[in-house]
Amino acid sequence: MTDWRRIDIDAFDPECGRLTNEDLKPPYNSHPSLQELQPKISQLRTAATSGDFAKGIQLATTDPVYGADDETKYQYFLIVLQLLTQVRQADISAILQQLNRDQQDVLVKYLYKGMSLLEGQKQGGILLCWFDKITAMSGINPIIRYLSDRNTV
């Protein structure tokens, strides 16, 4: 008798697909450069200077720069950090209610990134306030999705 613990049961199921290298590739296809992101960055700066923070945060979290290089991600993050730090604490909940689930997940990624960088740590109280409001509204679900997602901002 063979050792039943070493039987590969997936070999007997033809519909059980195995993961290929193509399945393990990141879901994004583009690698935007800083020059390609300049129009979006200028829109974010305009939203920050005009006081339209809800629109700016929605724009920043709608199409994150997953495929960019580290320097591009860093420059983009600085604009997002500027936007997040200008919002009054009383307005955070209203802005978060306008975001969908995917946008909230991206926002949590930016908050974690901010807490890991020196520029964000200087604004730690504000980032923690954002973090507190988003977990009060959505629970720990965005955190779990952040921890299990391979895409970084």
Side-chain angles (χ1 to χ4, degrees):
M1 180 172 174
T2 62
D3 187 6
W4 61 271
R5 289 173 283 194
R6 300 193 192 278
I7 296 175
D8 183 14
I9 61 169
D10 291 334
F12 298 109
D13 186 7
E15 294 191 19
C16 177
R18 296 194 187 261
L19 293 177
T20 63
N21 286 338
E22 190 66 32
D23 295 332
L24 297 175
K25 285 186 180 178
Y28 46 82
N29 293 326
S30 66
H31 301 284
S33 66
L34 193 57
Q35 291 79 20
E36 294 172 349
L37 290 174
Q38 282 303 327
K40 189 171 181 179
I41 289 173
S42 65
Q43 287 178 339
L44 291 173
R45 281 195 180 124
T46 303
T49 56
S50 68
D52 193 4
F53 303 118
K55 178 184 172 195
I57 291 172
Q58 285 179 344
L59 179 66
T61 57
T62 297
D63 191 22
V65 290
Y66 289 139
D69 62 345
D70 289 338
E71 181 61 29
T72 303
K73 287 181 180 182
Y74 178 73
Q75 294 299 324
Y76 189 80
F77 167 74
L78 291 178
I79 302 300
V80 174
L81 180 66
Q82 177 185 0
L83 197 64
L84 290 173
T85 56
Q86 290 180 354
V87 177
R88 294 182 320 166
Q89 287 186 8
D91 298 335
I92 292 175
S93 295
I95 291 173
L96 288 175
Q97 289 177 352
Q98 296 176 9
L99 300 178
N100 63 28
R101 190 189 96 175
D102 293 333
Q103 291 171 327
Q104 290 175 1
D105 292 348
V106 172
L107 181 60
V108 167
K109 290 178 185 181
Y110 281 119
L111 294 175
Y112 271 110
K113 183 170 184 137
M115 289 185 254
S116 70
L117 297 176
L118 182 62
E119 291 81 5
Q121 291 171 2
K122 291 177 183 176
Q123 305 292 336
I126 297 170
L127 295 180
L128 286 174
C129 184
W130 276 95
F131 194 77
D132 180 46
K133 301 275 183 176
I134 199 167
T135 53
M137 188 175 91
S138 300
I140 62 169
N141 296 331
I143 300 167
I144 293 170
R145 287 189 289 272
Y146 163 77
L147 293 173
S148 64
D149 196 358
R150 294 181 302 151
N151 297 325
T152 60
V153 291

